Amino acid sequence: MEAAAAAAASMTGAGKGGGDAGAGTALSFLSRGWREVRDSASADLRLMRARADSLRTLADRELEQLLVSASTTVAAPAPPVAAGAPIAEVEFVRNRIQPRISELRRHYASGDLADLAIGRGVLEGWAVPTQPRGATTARVDLSGVTAIRNALVSDVGWRRAAAWGGDAEEDKEWEVVRMIRGGLRELERRSQGSEILGGLPGPGELVDKFKSSLKSFNMEPLGSKEVPPLDLNEIMANLVRQSGPFLDQLGVRRELRDKLVETLYSRQNHSLSADSSLLGDDSSTDELDLRISSVLQSTGYHTDDGLWNEPSKYEVSDNKRHVAIVTTASLPWMTGTAVNPLFRAAYLARSAKQDVTLVVPWLCKSDQELVYPNSMTFSSPEEQETYIKKWLEERLGFESNFKISFYPGKFSKERRSIIPAGDTSQFISSREADIAILEEPEHLNWYHHGNRWTDKFNHVVGVVHTNYLEYIKREKNGAVQAFLVKHINNWVTRAYCDKVLRLSAATQDLPKSIVCNVHGVNPKFLKIGDKLMADRENGQQSFSKGAYFLGKMVWAKGYRELLGLLDKRRIDLQGFKLDVYGSGEDSHEVQSTAKKLNLNVNFFKGRDHADDSLHGYKVFINPSISDVLCTATAEALAMGKFVVCAEHPSNEFFMSFPNCLTYRTPEEFVARVNEAMAREPQPLTAEQRYNLSWEAATERFMEYSDLDKVLSQPAEGVHRNKARRALQPNLSDIMDGGLAFAHHCLTGNEALRLATGAIPGTRDYDKQHCVDMGLLPPQVQHPVYGW
């Protein structure tokens, strides 16, 4: 009300100085403001009347219980000192107290001030008759009842006066409370040392019951007041307080810092300061905390981390650990970084030791149309999550038990990949920040400007999927770009990972890395292979078609090598026919080149490798040397087909399979193709089949990532070890921390981000992401430093 009155006064002054138009505006504002004040006051009065009625009912019930207990106690047999004493007390209760209680209730219920005066006389007329000398003293101490009577009468009188006077004074609400509290204190004072009969409730018990009924008396209805935003002084006060560690390094004393905070905050007249006596806290710092909390609560924002606080707050529940798998792509984009992390999450979640969350990028609809096949789009993350779960259930032999979460991302046409927008780590709750698996850690952290992964998580594992240097070398000024990217990759993986797994030796040799294939094949391909082998054993023809190639139709995926081999050895491969399945940005150019060279190649749109139309092919040809570990090659081997591929580190894992035929020269390529077309592939042994499965891949991942050792330790022990290392860091930890700090500073500069190829505006997510994902704007996420 005071704020409304002040605003009204301000508008009135403005109207006087602004002529007739300003005066009309001011009067209109005053009228509307007083209407709102009157409605608010009426609502408050109705609420107080309801509470007073409830209080009256409670007081009547307490008085009745008191009198019933008194009459019961007085009627009980007592030592026969005087025979007439008990009968006199019973007569006192029956003839004196009960009629006056009924009369008081009737007058109080009427709410009339004249009747209240009569009711006051009724209570004042209560007295305990003098007992005959020598009789047993069975006396009821009604001093507490008198105190309650005074409070109730004052309460009703005030209610009637407030109804007559409108919105005279707001602090009369507190006057009622003070009256009742004063009556209770008087009741406690008088009850000390008084003698109470055994059957009556003690004064302390009566006071406690009465106090408990008043707990909600001063509560304001939720939403009755709007929380004003933080002003400049409050922002500056919180900035100074949060900058304590930095100011300590500059030699600023804590006393001076606290005094500055108090000076800045005390310049404003805050509602929290006015109520500090009720909160029992006179500290300006604590009041500022409450003020900021109220502003954040009004926005619906909640966070567990502070700027200077230790972000690792993982909490163990049900003795289970938590694994977060963060990747750079999602279905329906059929790429390795979308499919393989999905299966990894499903198989890791089969263990009862840990809960698993898969964190994938969410693209706005304009980007979805560019990335997802057949112009498929989703209107919400929930819709895409349903699609992903359904796709996975059709291919697994068990029910998956993991969560899917989303972070904002944007598609880069130049890089043909998805770049995170904002701090990806913030979309994993600190309570679940235990173990992180970063699929493509260099990609995730090129422009990462947020929490350091190894600070927030107890253990961070990176899995390298892509040979970025090979792709970049094919671009304009590729050698220079590859040199820069190589060192940036070393920088970010060392700063943000505890362990790095490389799927093959074809990838860049990164710090803390080890080579191991931790991928398996979709169980559906193994079932297809079993069926084809069973058909062959029954005398049926398993493979009715020749050779094919399947892959995203971009030059870097091996299409240049494929067309070059077919063109150079066209005479040796006369009569050889190849079917190519794929879609992509270079589709038109690839097909035009093949047609210009007059190659015997048929092109089809891309499709799932498990599609029925691909089961009859006997030979899969993959000349790509840019892949790290080609998923399509593993799938073809699982289906029992021949695979003809280059002798390259990316294919080293497959060379142990007899159906994998490798070549080093174009002449060997022709020989391997003719060999595959001339004979039948060998059936997979049980060991070979298991080595291709996700069960074996998960075992290798647990072993080489040290995840089995980490999961065998309690989370508290891992956290203590990290805290101990933070207090006593070695030289390597100091260097890693320095690299992370430098990277954080550089990625915070928009000009440097744009100069190194970042998508504009990806340091934070944009408005469309807020709408799609239900996020608060970045300025609200960081209410002080973000403004």
Side-chain angles (χ1 to χ4, degrees):
M1 290 184 180
E2 292 176 359
S10 175
M11 290 300 296
T12 304
K16 290 179 180 179
D20 296 338
T25 304
L27 290 175
S28 175
F29 177 81
L30 279 173
S31 176
R32 183 172 62 255
W34 282 114
R35 259 197 319 272
E36 293 175 356
V37 170
R38 184 188 60 194
D39 294 342
S40 176
S42 300
D44 291 341
L45 288 173
R46 285 194 299 270
L47 180 63
M48 286 186 286
R49 288 192 189 102
R51 288 171 177 167
D53 292 340
S54 175
L55 184 63
R56 180 196 64 195
T57 304
L58 178 63
D60 289 347
R61 187 162 55 250
E62 292 289 348
L63 288 173
E64 288 179 358
Q65 293 178 359
L66 176 66
L67 296 175
V68 170
S69 301
S71 61
T72 304
T73 305
V74 172
V81 177
I87 299 175
E89 294 292 352
V90 171
E91 291 298 326
F92 162 74
V93 172
R94 183 178 302 164
N95 299 328
R96 304 257 323 184
I97 297 181
Q98 288 183 351
R100 294 179 184 275
I101 285 293
S102 301
E103 187 178 356
L104 173 65
R105 292 178 62 182
R106 184 176 66 256
H107 292 308
Y108 187 83
S110 66
D112 195 358
L113 290 180
D115 292 338
L116 285 173
I118 298 173
R120 187 181 296 109
V122 171
L123 285 176
E124 290 173 351
W126 282 356
V128 180
T130 304
Q131 298 295 322
R133 183 171 304 199
T136 302
T137 302
R139 189 177 301 274
V140 180
D141 185 3
L142 296 178
S143 58
V145 177
T146 305
I148 297 174
R149 179 260 302 167
N150 293 334
L152 294 178
V153 172
S154 300
D155 174 22
V156 176
W158 176 82
R159 288 194 301 123
R160 181 65 63 182
W164 291 340
D167 50 352
E169 296 181 7
E170 283 188 5
D171 58 351
K172 285 189 177 182
E173 179 182 356
W174 302 106
E175 182 181 349
V176 180
V177 178
R178 286 196 294 271
M179 290 179 181
I180 296 176
R181 288 175 176 171
L184 289 175
R185 285 195 295 269
E186 182 70 15
L187 176 60
E188 289 177 334
R189 186 183 63 80
R190 293 187 180 184
S191 63
Q192 291 178 357
S194 62
E195 296 180 0
I196 303 299
L197 295 175
L200 287 173
E205 182 181 353
L206 178 62
V207 172
D208 291 340
K209 289 183 179 180
F210 194 70
K211 281 183 176 180
S212 63
S213 68
L214 300 176
K215 285 184 178 178
S216 62
F217 192 81
N218 295 321
M219 297 285 291
E220 291 185 357
L222 293 176
S224 62
K225 291 185 178 181
E226 294 185 0
V227 179
L230 297 175
D231 55 33
L232 181 60
N233 287 333
E234 290 170 324
I235 294 174
M236 292 302 299
N238 197 38
L239 178 63
V240 172
R241 189 183 58 172
Q242 289 187 349
S243 303
F246 176 70
L247 295 176
D248 288 340
Q249 296 295 326
L250 297 179
V252 179
R253 292 179 302 168
R254 180 174 180 178
E255 294 79 5
L256 181 60
R257 186 174 70 244
D258 294 343
K259 184 65 176 177
L260 180 58
V261 172
E262 183 179 357
T263 302
L264 288 170
Y265 185 67
S266 61
R267 289 184 178 181
Q268 303 296 326
N269 184 19
H270 305 285
S271 59
L272 284 175
S273 299
D275 299 341
S276 60
S277 60
L278 295 174
L279 298 172
D281 192 347
D282 297 327
S283 171
S284 297
T285 301
D286 292 340
E287 288 181 18
L288 181 58
D289 284 335
L290 291 172
R291 172 82 175 106
I292 295 175
S293 298
S294 65
V295 174
L296 293 180
Q297 186 178 12
S298 68
T299 65
Y301 176 67
H302 171 73
T303 183
D304 299 310
D305 300 337
L307 182 66
W308 302 106
N309 297 335
E310 172 60 43
S312 294
K313 295 182 181 178
Y314 174 71
E315 295 181 359
V316 180
S317 59
D318 301 329
N319 295 322
K320 297 186 74 173
R321 307 294 294 274
H322 193 97
V323 178
I325 302 175
V326 188
T327 187
T328 58
S330 176
L331 295 180
W333 189 8
M334 298 301 297
T335 184
T337 52
V339 175
N340 290 309
L342 181 61
F343 281 104
R344 194 186 324 283
Y347 279 86
L348 282 176
R350 296 180 72 179
S351 172
K353 293 182 179 180
Q354 65 270 348
D355 292 325
V356 179
T357 299
L358 178 64
V359 188
V360 299
W362 166 260
L363 299 177
C364 299
K365 189 161 292 187
S366 57
D367 284 339
Q368 294 181 29
E369 295 172 351
L370 297 174
V371 177
Y372 299 151
N374 303 321
S375 300
M376 185 181 300
T377 60
F378 304 95
S379 58
S380 67
E382 292 77 14
E383 183 181 351
Q384 186 171 3
E385 178 181 357
T386 301
Y387 174 87
I388 295 172
K389 286 291 186 71
K390 182 179 179 182
W391 185 92
L392 184 63
E393 289 175 0
E394 293 174 354
R395 289 156 177 79
L396 286 179
F398 57 89
E399 182 179 358
S400 60
N401 184 26
F402 64 93
K403 297 188 299 182
I404 296 180
S405 180
F406 292 84
Y407 67 86
K410 290 188 176 183
F411 180 68
S412 172
K413 295 180 181 179
E414 294 76 14
R415 297 179 182 272
R416 294 172 180 171
S417 59
I418 297 173
I419 304 298
D423 179 10
T424 309
S425 67
Q426 79 177 87
F427 296 93
I428 305 168
S429 169
S430 294
R431 294 183 178 87
E432 298 179 346
D434 183 16
I435 299 168
I437 300 173
L438 306 183
E439 310 280 352
E440 295 197 310
E442 67 277 54
H443 183 157
L444 285 170
N445 291 301
W446 279 334
Y447 305 107
H448 176 72
H449 182 70
N451 291 324
R452 185 184 177 190
W453 294 96
T454 50
D455 286 343
K456 184 169 184 175
F457 290 84
N458 293 324
H459 189 63
V460 181
V461 180
V463 181
V464 179
H465 289 248
T466 308
N467 188 0
Y468 288 106
L469 301 183
E470 184 64 32
Y471 288 111
I472 293 173
K473 288 176 182 178
R474 301 168 184 259
E475 299 178 359
K476 185 179 180 180
N477 299 323
V480 177
Q481 294 186 56
F483 174 81
L484 296 175
V485 171
K486 176 181 178 181
H487 290 282
I488 292 175
N489 290 346
N490 287 332
W491 184 355
V492 296
T493 53
R494 177 167 183 173
Y496 294 118
C497 295
D498 294 316
K499 194 87 178 248
V500 178
L501 299 180
R502 298 157 55 203
L503 297 179
S504 73
T507 58
Q508 177 184 342
D509 187 8
L510 296 168
K512 308 177 184 178
S513 67
I514 188 172
V515 176
C516 179
N517 173 24
V518 292
H519 285 177
V521 297
N522 185 336
K524 190 172 184 178
F525 294 103
L526 293 171
K527 294 179 181 179
I528 294 173
D530 294 340
K531 181 179 181 301
L532 292 175
M533 290 302 104
D535 292 343
R536 190 169 69 174
E537 291 176 359
N538 294 330
Q540 300 179 14
Q541 185 179 4
S542 300
F543 303 109
S544 58
K545 301 179 182 179
Y548 74 107
F549 173 63
L550 178 143
K552 185 178 180 181
M553 200 167 290
V554 293
W555 285 116
K557 282 292 185 179
Y559 283 91
R560 197 179 304 277
E561 290 84 356
L562 177 64
L563 298 184
L565 288 171
L566 295 178
D567 182 42
K568 291 179 181 178
R569 313 305 299 182
R570 67 173 61 231
I571 297 177
D572 298 330
L573 294 173
Q574 193 171 7
F576 176 72
K577 177 183 176 182
L578 182 68
D579 293 338
V580 176
Y581 294 85
S583 303
E585 294 85 350
D586 298 333
S587 297
H588 178 72
E589 189 176 349
V590 170
Q591 295 180 34
S592 299
T593 303
K595 185 176 181 180
K596 186 183 299 182
L597 295 174
N598 195 25
L599 300 177
N600 192 10
V601 178
N602 298 321
F603 290 95
F604 301 92
K605 286 187 177 181
R607 62 193 65 182
D608 193 335
H609 205 173
D611 191 86
D612 294 341
S613 61
L614 303 178
H615 294 177
Y617 287 99
K618 183 172 68 170
V619 182
F620 176 73
I621 294 179
N622 182 16
S624 174
I625 56 174
S626 62
D627 289 324
V628 172
L629 187 79
C630 183
T631 303
T633 299
E635 293 168 349
L637 289 174
M639 288 187 287
K641 305 176 186 292
F642 276 121
V643 171
V644 178
C645 59
E647 188 174 316
H648 187 262
S650 61
N651 297 318
E652 186 176 353
F653 176 81
F654 306 123
M655 292 179 187
S656 60
F657 292 84
N659 292 335
C660 179
L661 308 176
T662 61
Y663 65 89
R664 288 173 292 184
T665 63
E667 292 77 13
E668 288 186 0
F669 171 76
V670 174
R672 296 294 180 265
V673 169
N674 291 332
E675 179 185 355
M677 297 296 294
R679 63 185 180 91
E680 292 295 319
Q682 299 182 22
L684 293 175
T685 65
E687 181 180 359
Q688 293 167 352
R689 190 179 185 279
Y690 179 76
N691 288 337
L692 289 172
S693 69
W694 266 105
E695 288 85 356
T698 304
E699 288 184 4
R700 294 192 297 266
F701 178 81
M702 296 289 289
E703 177 183 357
Y704 285 89
S705 67
D706 295 334
L707 202 59
D708 52 352
K709 298 177 182 178
V710 174
L711 291 176
S712 63
Q713 304 177 26
E716 296 88 343
V718 176
H719 187 64
R720 282 196 297 269
N721 291 337
K722 290 184 72 70
R724 189 179 301 111
R725 287 182 57 187
L727 293 175
Q728 299 177 345
N730 54 35
L731 181 59
S732 178
D733 294 335
I734 294 174
M735 291 181 63
D736 294 348
L739 290 172
F741 178 76
H743 182 263
H744 182 83
C745 294
L746 294 175
T747 54
N749 187 292
E750 186 67 17
L752 288 176
R753 293 173 65 91
L754 297 178
T756 54
I759 301 176
T762 52
R763 191 179 69 175
D764 289 311
Y765 47 84
D766 58 20
K767 183 178 180 180
Q768 189 59 46
H769 284 124
C770 296
V771 174
D772 294 345
M773 303 178 67
L775 301 174
L776 294 172
Q779 294 82 0
V780 178
Q781 295 281 5
H782 308 288
V784 174
Y785 289 95
W787 289 355

